[in-house]
Amino acid sequence: HVQLVESGGGSVQAGGTLRLSCAASGQSYSRYDDWCMAWFRQRPGQEREGLAVIDLGGGAETYIDSVKGRFTISKDNIKNILYLQMNSLKPEDTAMYYCAADPGGGYCRVTRFYFPYWGQGTQVTVS
């Protein structure tokens, strides 16, 4: 079983930056090359949307258009942490942010919606 714990959310002014972290535990990371991991967000009154996805083995990253050039997904395989660097934040980025993981890999692009493991979320507020 995999546990994911997000951190790093908070309140920031428009134009500011935040870095979210997602610590993974509970399953051996020895085959992390198979993992697909992602960041999602859910804005008030809206459905959850995928923002960025990374294939831990090949390192391929995909993003939705609204965050391209502003957000960067990255990984620290030694610490088992997934990051989301968010720059040039806008009020419309206000949302609950979640990380997600699939140790089995599979289709690993930002259009993927289903993941078997999710974190509890961290709130980001941009004013």
Side-chain angles (χ1 to χ4, degrees), residues 96-107:
M96 185 71 79
Y97 285 70
Y98 300 88
C99 69
D102 185 349
Y107 176 74

Side-chain angles (χ1 to χ4, degrees), residues 25-43:
S25 64
Q27 179 164 321
S28 171
Y29 226 61
S30 61
R31 293 188 59 80
Y32 61 83
D33 284 359
D34 294 335
W35 287 48
C36 177
M37 297 192 74
W39 285 99
F40 284 73
R41 70 183 175 194
Q42 187 165 18
R43 291 181 276 199

Side-chain angles (χ1 to χ4, degrees), residues 57-76:
E61 306 164 20
T62 55
Y63 300 87
I64 59 170
D65 288 344
S66 62
V67 306
K68 276 182 184 177
R70 299 190 300 124
F71 291 8
T72 303
I73 189 171
S74 64
K75 58 185 175 66
D76 183 328

Side-chain angles (χ1 to χ4, degrees), residues 62-124:
T62 55
Y63 300 87
I64 59 170
D65 288 344
S66 62
V67 306
K68 276 182 184 177
R70 299 190 300 124
F71 291 8
T72 303
I73 189 171
S74 64
K75 58 185 175 66
D76 183 328
N77 289 339
I78 296 176
K79 296 181 179 179
N80 299 351
I81 296 177
L82 181 74
Y83 298 103
L84 184 68
Q85 178 68 42
M86 304 188 295
N87 300 329
S88 303
L89 283 162
K90 305 175 181 179
E92 52 263 42
D93 293 318
T94 295
M96 185 71 79
Y97 285 70
Y98 300 88
C99 69
D102 185 349
Y107 176 74
C108 198
R109 293 293 184 269
V110 74
T111 48
R112 176 174 177 171
F113 186 80
Y114 172 75
F115 284 81
Y117 299 105
W118 294 82
Q120 82 290 346
T122 185
Q123 178 67 38
V124 171

